[in-house]
Amino acid sequence: MRPAIRGLAARAGRVSLASDPAKAGGEDLIADIAASTSRAASRPVRDDLRTLFDTAVHAVSAEVAMPRTLPISAHGRTVVIAVGKAAAAMMRVAQARAARPLEGLIVTRYGHLPPQGTAGPGVEVIEAGHPYPDERSVTAAAQVLDMARGLDAGDRLLLLLSGGGSALLAAPAPGLTLDDKQGVTRALLQSGATIAEINCVRKHLSAIKGGRLAVAAGPAQVTTWIISDVPGDDPSYVSSGPTVADTTSLAEAREIIAEYGVQVSPQVAAALANPANETPEADTLGLAGVETRVIARARDGLVAAGAKAAELGYQVMDLGDQLQAEARHLGASHAALARRLAKDGRPRAILSGGETTVTVTNKSGRGGRNLEYLLGLAIALDGAPGISALACDTDGIDGTEDAAGAIVTPDTIARAKAAGLDPQRHLDRNDAYLFFEELDDLVVTGPTLTNVNDFRAILIGSDE
């Protein structure tokens, strides 16, 4: 059912583990393991966890990911529009590497502007709402569409796209209001639906998503560079693919609404039944010729973090960058894996990425998917010695709070109980943020100005 969406399901990497170190390489290997154990145990585990996260974030930063040469129109105008949580950083790098001054627009989340300045002459900045669109999102979408419609043959639109654009650009389909879009977005985000499912619905309620921005650009050349925050890195799902041909349908959008029991307004129901809101077909509207390139993805961050973990003395298990599951359940599953691997005493790093989901039962709760993952993991570990973990969103914001994520150590549950906290109650109430805040275990980075979604690391071999 819904193969275009279900194809983004979770995958886990596989590794082979030698059961007998002597058989796998003899005494030299045993000596190597002993040396690695000593190196890993000689540093605070919190430092190692933060080092791995920082390494992953740097690997997917605009400075590292952006190509050195920009596609500048030889004979016409080049308009650059940067949208998403990495928009300001991507535009800054583009301006530094451009052969001549650029004109364009930055659309990003409130607070996601670099302290050293955002843009030079000719580039405007709009900050808008996320994860829920606001009036500024509507203004931004209208301005982006106007800029695209003003392009001629020989001109080029360079779209620098990163996660968050689905909320930052809100152009309700005819007959819909911003309130309609906000209501659907809120209900879907709280339902446990995946980002692919949510964006499928968004595309069919929009005048800019699902390839419609490329259509608006008409005869101009359209190039899109993407920092991907979706499992599987399908460009049509990043920020709901404003310049990328859509493979989903109105029927699938209606099915998603029904599956998750989302209550929609009569206007939204009518829009999802209106054939006019079907997304453009690539072969009939020229989208097949649009150039699209994913320049950074979660895999890049995991590879960099894996290399750093090995350098720090850990044996690395990479579970992949496409894990999708209910956050608390994935945390419990990873706790069981860590317990098994901890039995041989080797220092190990279990790394993973992707995007979990949270089914919200307490709408006044405070938390995010990484915090729910960690609380589920901590409860399942129940103080198991030598196992610590970090889970953070690479954009620096987990959900709607000010933390990127948090850290779990072997004494997390004991410290919580000593402080009068009930871990299971906090999890049941979707209050993981308050739990980790009370323990002073939140990871607060501020906006990182990039976004490839979640980064998780479990380190085995330190009791801290």
Side-chain angles (χ1 to χ4, degrees), residues 397-462:
I397 305 295
D398 186 36
T400 59
E401 301 295 344
D402 60 357
I407 287 175
V408 163
T409 54
D411 64 350
T412 291
I413 297 299
R415 287 189 292 121
K417 291 180 178 178
L421 302 176
D422 182 336
Q424 189 62 52
R425 184 171 185 273
H426 276 79
L427 186 60
D428 292 342
R429 291 181 51 80
N430 302 119
D431 263 336
Y433 179 91
L434 298 177
F435 178 87
F436 288 107
E437 181 184 44
E438 184 70 21
L439 296 179
D440 198 24
D441 283 339
L442 293 172
V443 175
V444 180
T445 63
T448 64
L449 305 183
T450 191
N451 182 26
V452 295
N453 239 310
D454 302 337
F455 173 82
R456 297 178 289 268
I458 301 173
L459 297 184
I460 300 171
S462 174

Side-chain angles (χ1 to χ4, degrees), residues 17-18 313-316 341-342 344 346-350 458-461:
L17 302 175
Y314 295 96
Q315 181 174 329
V316 178
L341 293 177
D344 66 9
R346 301 183 193 178
R348 299 183 187 272
I350 306 172
I458 301 173
L459 297 184
I460 300 171

Side-chain angles (χ1 to χ4, degrees), residues 75-159:
H75 305 291
R77 300 163 58 212
T78 296
V79 172
V80 183
I81 299 175
V83 179
K85 298 173 187 175
M90 294 179 82
M91 180 67 82
R92 189 178 64 219
V93 173
Q95 288 183 301
R97 295 177 183 175
R100 62 176 188 262
L102 301 174
E103 58 176 303
L105 174 68
I106 294 169
V107 183
T108 194
R109 180 178 178 169
Y110 295 112
H112 282 245
L113 297 175
Q116 63 270 43
T118 56
V123 176
E124 186 180 347
V125 178
I126 298 177
E127 294 179 271
H130 185 279
Y132 307 117
D134 62 7
E135 291 290 350
R136 297 284 289 170
S137 306
V138 176
T139 298
Q143 188 161 334
V144 167
L145 286 169
D146 284 345
M147 293 172 71
R149 290 169 182 145
L151 297 173
D152 297 320
D155 295 337
R156 182 185 293 273
L157 170 62
L158 173 58
L159 179 64

Side-chain angles (χ1 to χ4, degrees), residues 115-422:
Q116 63 270 43
T118 56
V123 176
E124 186 180 347
V125 178
I126 298 177
E127 294 179 271
H130 185 279
Y132 307 117
D134 62 7
E135 291 290 350
R136 297 284 289 170
S137 306
V138 176
T139 298
Q143 188 161 334
V144 167
L145 286 169
D146 284 345
M147 293 172 71
R149 290 169 182 145
L151 297 173
D152 297 320
D155 295 337
R156 182 185 293 273
L157 170 62
L158 173 58
L159 179 64
L160 305 176
L161 193 64
S162 54
S166 294
L168 296 170
L169 295 180
L176 298 179
T177 66
L178 175 61
D179 286 344
D180 292 324
K181 296 293 293 286
Q182 290 172 330
V184 172
T185 300
R186 183 173 288 103
L188 285 168
L189 286 172
Q190 295 178 350
S191 71
T194 68
I195 189 61
E197 292 168 328
I198 294 170
N199 285 356
C200 170
V201 175
R202 283 167 157 167
K203 291 177 190 180
H204 293 90
L205 299 174
S206 174
I208 194 170
K209 300 176 174 67
R212 293 180 177 91
L213 177 58
V215 174
Q221 296 175 290
V222 179
T223 300
T224 304
W225 288 350
I226 297 174
I227 293 180
S228 171
D229 69 331
V230 299
D233 304 309
D234 184 335
S236 71
Y237 286 108
V238 181
S239 291
S240 299
T243 58
V244 183
D246 183 32
T247 58
T248 66
S249 67
L250 277 166
E252 289 175 285
R254 293 192 297 268
E255 187 179 346
I256 291 164
I257 292 294
E259 179 176 341
Y260 289 96
V262 174
Q263 300 298 312
V264 298
S265 68
Q267 293 83 1
V268 169
L272 291 177
N274 186 350
N277 290 326
E278 196 61 86
T279 46
E281 295 183 11
D283 56 352
T284 60
L285 293 171
L287 291 179
V290 172
E291 178 190 359
T292 303
R293 178 178 176 184
V294 177
I295 62 172
R297 65 205 80 206
R299 166 56 37 204
D300 302 324
L302 285 181
V303 168
K308 176 58 71 172
E311 179 185 318
L312 294 174
Y314 295 96
Q315 181 174 329
V316 178
M317 172 181 279
D318 185 337
L319 300 181
D321 62 321
Q322 300 183 37
L323 276 63
Q324 297 182 82
E326 184 74 19
R328 63 185 65 190
H329 299 158
L330 187 66
S333 174
H334 284 182
L337 173 64
R339 281 178 173 275
R340 290 198 302 272
L341 293 177
K343 292 179 180 179
D344 66 9
R346 301 183 193 178
R348 299 183 187 272
I350 306 172
L351 306 180
S352 65
E355 181 170 359
T356 59
T357 58
V358 172
T359 302
V360 177
T361 57
N362 174 27
K363 294 185 178 181
S364 64
R366 298 177 62 192
R369 59 181 180 263
N370 286 290
L371 297 177
E372 288 228 354
Y373 164 89
L374 285 170
L375 189 46
L377 178 137
I379 291 170
L381 285 175
D382 193 24
I387 303 175
S388 300
L390 170 148
C392 289
D393 197 320
T394 52
D395 69 0
I397 305 295
D398 186 36
T400 59
E401 301 295 344
D402 60 357
I407 287 175
V408 163
T409 54
D411 64 350
T412 291
I413 297 299
R415 287 189 292 121
K417 291 180 178 178
L421 302 176
D422 182 336

